[in-house]
C-alpha cells in the first residue's frame, strides 16, 4: 500500500521544526504597546512679558523732561498689549498676574506722562529765566569799547533816558490790580480779569468743588511777529499764601480750564478761562502768569468779587 503522506510540521502530535533564526519578530498581543501621541507643549504668553517691559519703560521715561511724550506712547502701547495678554490668559495661557501688573504699570505711565509735561514746562521756564538773566547782564556791553556803556562816555546831565528803577515796575516787582493790562517791552500784553465765584457745571465737579473762583486770561500780540504760547496758566494763592488747586470741569456743555496756547498773530488776542478752589471765607487772592516762555511772570493781587 502506498505510504501515507507526511504530516505537516506543527500538526498535533508532530514536533515543530526548528525555528528560523533569521525570521523578523512579528508584533502580536505580547508585543510592547505603541507609545502614545506626544503631549502638546504648554501655551506661552509673550504678550504678558512685553506688557511688563513696555509699561515699566513707559513709567520711567514719563518723568524724564522732554521725553514725557515717548513715555506716553510706550504706556498707551503697554495698555494695548496688556489687554491682549489678559484675554490670552483667560483662555488658558500662563502669566496672567504678570499681564495684570504690566497693564497697571502702563496705565500709571499715561498719568505720569501728564506730570512729565508739567515738569518739562517748569524746566523750560527755569532755563529761560537763567538765559534772560545772562542776557540782562550783558545787555549794556559794547564790544567795540570793551566795556559797559556807563564806563565809557557818561550821559550828559539831563539827557539820560528815563528808565524806571526795579522798584517802579508794577507787575514785575509789585502786583497789579486784577483787570489791568501789563505790556512787555516787545509789545505783547497780558491781563487777568477780576476773580469771580465759579459755579461748577458737571455732576462730578458739583460734588467735589465747594468754593472756587474763575479768572479770564487775555493775551494780545502787540508785536510785529507771531507770538507762540505753549502754556499760559496762572499760579494762584489765597490770602494766606497757600497754593490754590485748579478745577477741572467738563459738564454742562463747557470745559474748564480753557488753555491759551498756540500762535497768536500780530494784532490778535486769545483768551482762556481757569478756575481754582480756595478755602471758604477767602477775601482776596494773588496770581502770577507769564504770557510766553521767554517772558517774565506778571503779578496780580486783589479782592474776590
Amino acid at each position: 500500500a502506498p505510504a501515507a503522506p507526511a504530516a505537516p510540521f506543527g500538526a498535533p502530535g508532530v514536533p515543530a521544526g526548528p525555528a528560523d533564526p533569521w525570521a523578523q519578530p512579528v508584533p502580536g498581543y505580547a508585543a510592547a504597546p505603541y507609545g502614545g501621541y506626544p503631549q502638546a507643549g504648554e501655551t506661552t504668553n509673550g504678550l504678558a512679558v512685553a506688557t511688563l517691559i513696555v509699561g515699566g519703560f513707559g513709567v520711567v521715561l514719563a518723568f524724564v523732561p522732554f521725553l514725557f511724550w515717548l513715555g506716553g506712547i510706550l504706556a498707551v502701547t503697554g495698555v494695548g498689549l496688556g489687554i491682549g495678554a489678559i484675554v490670552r490668559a483667560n483662555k488658558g495661557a500662563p502669566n496672567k498676574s504678570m499681564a495684570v501688573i504690566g497693564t497697571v504699570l502702563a496705565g500709571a505711565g499715561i498719568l505720569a506722562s501728564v506730570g512729565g509735561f508739567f515738569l518739562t514746562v517748569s524746566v523750560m521756564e527755569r532755563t529761560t529765566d537763567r538765559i534772560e538773566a545772562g542776557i540782562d547782564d550783558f545787555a549794556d556791553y559794547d564790544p567795540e569799547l570793551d566795556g559797559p556803556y556807563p564806563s565809557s562816555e557818561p550821559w550828559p546831565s539831563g539827557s539820560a533816558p528815563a528808565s524806571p528803577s526795579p522798584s517802579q515796575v508794577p507787575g514785575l516787582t509789585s502786583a497789579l490790580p486784577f483787570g489791568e493790562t501789563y505790556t512787555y517791552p516787545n509789545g505783547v500784553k497780558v491781563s487777568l480779569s477780576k476773580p469771580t465765584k465759579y459755579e461748577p457745571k458737571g455732576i462730578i465737579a458739583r460734588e467735589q468743588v465747594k468754593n472756587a473762583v474763575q479768572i479770564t486770561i487775555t493775551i494780545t500780540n502787540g508785536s510785529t511777529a507771531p507770538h507762540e504760547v505753549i502754556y499760559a496758566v496762572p499760579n494762584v494763592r489765597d490770602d494766606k499764601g497757600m497754593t490754590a488747586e485748579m478745577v477741572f470741569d467738563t459738564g454742562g456743555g463747557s470745559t474748564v480750564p480753557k488753555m491759551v496756547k498756540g500762535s497768536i498773530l500780530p494784532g490778535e488776542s486769545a483768551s482762556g478761562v481757569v478756575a481754582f478752589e480756595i478755602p471758604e471765607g477767602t477775601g482776596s487772592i494773588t496770581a502770577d502768569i507769564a504770557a510766553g516762555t521767554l517772558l517774565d511772570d506778571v503779578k496780580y493781587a486783589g479782592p474776590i468779587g
Side-chain angles (χ1 to χ4, degrees):
F9 290 108
V14 178
D20 184 1
W22 307 107
Q24 297 295 325
V26 179
Y29 292 104
Y34 287 102
Y37 290 101
Q39 298 294 324
E42 184 181 2
T43 2
T44 58
N45 195 355
L47 287 180
V49 179
T51 300
L52 190 61
I53 295 174
V54 174
F57 275 105
V59 172
V60 172
L61 292 178
F63 286 108
V64 179
F66 304 102
L67 291 180
F68 66 91
W69 58 272
L70 181 57
I73 293 175
L74 289 176
V76 172
T77 304
V79 170
L81 292 174
I83 294 174
I86 293 173
V87 171
R88 182 174 292 182
N90 289 336
K91 294 181 179 179
N95 300 331
K96 182 175 182 179
S97 59
M98 184 181 296
V100 173
I101 294 173
T103 305
V104 172
L105 275 177
I110 295 176
L111 298 178
S113 64
V114 177
F117 166 75
F118 289 104
L119 179 61
T120 300
V121 171
S122 176
V123 171
M124 291 178 61
E125 290 179 349
R126 292 182 181 181
T127 304
T128 300
D129 291 342
R130 292 180 180 179
I131 293 175
E132 289 180 348
I135 293 174
D136 291 341
D137 290 341
F138 292 95
D140 295 330
Y141 181 77
D142 184 358
E144 295 182 358
L145 300 178
D146 194 22
Y149 283 115
S151 64
S152 55
E153 293 184 5
W155 292 97
S157 177
S159 63
S163 58
S165 63
S167 60
Q168 299 175 348
V169 184
L172 296 185
T173 57
S174 60
L176 287 173
F178 284 105
E180 292 194 8
T181 300
Y182 177 83
T183 303
Y184 290 95
N186 63 356
V188 175
K189 302 177 181 180
V190 63
S191 67
L192 295 180
S193 68
K194 294 182 179 181
T196 57
K197 187 173 179 59
Y198 176 74
E199 297 293 340
K201 309 297 188 302
I203 298 176
I204 298 177
R206 285 199 299 267
E207 294 178 354
Q208 296 179 347
V209 177
K210 304 304 179 184
N211 187 60
V213 294
Q214 69 177 23
I215 300 173
T216 300
I217 309 162
T218 303
I219 298 176
T220 302
N221 185 5
S223 68
T224 58
H227 177 60
E228 298 294 333
V229 179
I230 298 176
Y231 177 77
V233 174
N235 299 313
V236 176
R237 294 178 176 84
D238 60 27
D239 49 10
K240 295 182 180 180
M242 299 299 294
T243 302
E245 183 177 354
M246 184 181 294
V247 172
F248 294 88
D249 186 5
T250 57
S254 63
T255 301
V256 172
K258 293 180 180 177
M259 302 292 189
V260 180
K261 58 183 178 179
S263 180
I264 305 176
L265 297 177
E268 299 292 330
S269 297
S271 297
V273 178
V274 290
F276 292 87
E277 178 81 8
I278 57 176
E280 292 280 354
T282 301
S284 62
I285 61 173
T286 60
D288 58 82
I289 184 172
T293 305
L294 301 179
L295 300 178
D296 292 326
D297 288 340
V298 179
K299 301 173 178 61
Y300 285 88
I304 299 171

